[in-house]
Amino acid sequence: MSGIVIAIDGPAGTGKSTVSREVALRLGLAYFDTGATYRVATLACLRDGVDLSNTSDVAAMVATMNVELILDPRAPRVLLDGEDVSAQIRTDTVALTVSKVATNLEARPILQEMQREVIRGELAGGYSDGRGVCAEGRDITTVIAPEADVRVLMTADDDVRVARRAGEGADAGTVREAVLGRDRRDSAVVSFHEAADGVHTLDTTDLTIEEAVGAVVSLAGEATQ
Ligand code: DC
């Protein structure tokens, strides 16, 4: 049997990471958080003193950085030069600057190709042994994996999205800016608020995680029948 690709996109705070991880776990797939590639690229630039507004310097760093992604849904990790930087890429410093890399039109295609390679790798073998991957990120259903077996756009009301992120422990103003401000900046280069043709919309405003996971798993069941 060939592997399956499940692609989930949508703005921050819709539950896409939690749901994608759980779906991967249930179906024995790799879990691929494409946002982590933008985050680790940002960290690599910050560490090396690369000026984030210099698009070519950032692209050069992205093309040469030594990154390894561990796609285990139980413990996804990101290694930079062999060091586990999974916690560092989640700091406010990275969260508030990552849009500079995400909107860099020289760096984006390099990261996008890296992401396609990861997905191809999971269909050929990789962590999932060919079972496939549940990949999440804003342009995953449209640009990275338009041929995915299942494509889902997760949405939720703004206030619910901010409240979910605030529940993760950060200061309210920082959270509002990190969630809504970043969406606004990222919208300049990626469209992730409206579903493209063939993409299922899943509004999680009133759904529990369990319900959202169930919805994606049943779409996967339909796709592989
Ligand atoms: O999902 P996240 O918060 O980890 O994303 C980090 C940043 O990368 C954010 O600015 C959105 C951007 N991103 C993107 O442009 N395309 C993706 N496929 C994934 C993330």
Side-chain angles (χ1 to χ4, degrees), residues 111-190:
L111 288 169
Q112 288 171 333
E113 194 43 40
M114 181 198 286
Q115 292 160 16
R116 291 189 191 102
E117 226 167 84
V118 169
I119 293 170
R120 282 195 294 268
E122 288 304 319
L123 291 175
Y127 169 81
S128 71
D129 218 3
R131 282 187 298 274
V133 58
C134 182
E136 53 123 333
R138 296 164 183 233
D139 54 358
I140 199 89
T141 64
T142 48
V143 177
I144 307 300
E147 309 289 320
D149 302 279
V150 179
R151 295 184 294 154
V152 179
L153 171 71
M154 289 183 55
T155 63
D157 291 350
D158 284 359
D159 288 344
V160 168
R161 298 194 293 116
V162 171
R164 283 177 183 161
R165 281 288 157 107
E168 290 165 14
D171 151 80
T174 308
V175 172
R176 186 156 272 276
E177 169 53 21
V179 174
L180 303 183
R182 223 182 50 188
D183 281 352
R184 210 167 36 242
R185 287 190 294 276
D186 293 341
S187 294
V189 293
V190 223

Side-chain angles (χ1 to χ4, degrees), residues 16 34-35 38-39 90 98-99 102 108 137-139 182 186:
K16 66 181 189 298
T34 60
Y38 291 90
R39 287 172 179 268
R90 305 277 154 209
V98 64
S99 280
R108 257 193 107 74
R138 296 164 183 233
D139 54 358
R182 223 182 50 188
D186 293 341

Side-chain angles (χ1 to χ4, degrees), residues 10-39:
T14 54
K16 66 181 189 298
S17 300
T18 314
V19 169
S20 300
R21 269 178 78 162
E22 190 56 34
V23 167
L25 201 57
R26 296 239 185 124
L27 300 179
L29 307 177
Y31 162 63
F32 180 25
D33 164 14
T34 60
T37 65
Y38 291 90
R39 287 172 179 268

Side-chain angles (χ1 to χ4, degrees), residues 24 41 48 55 62 79 107 109 135 145-146 153 161 174 204 207-208 216 219-220 222 224:
D48 249 51
T55 51
V62 166
L79 310 186
L153 171 71
R161 298 194 293 116
T174 308
T204 66
L207 294 187
T208 62
V216 178
L219 287 172
E222 286 165 26
T224 51

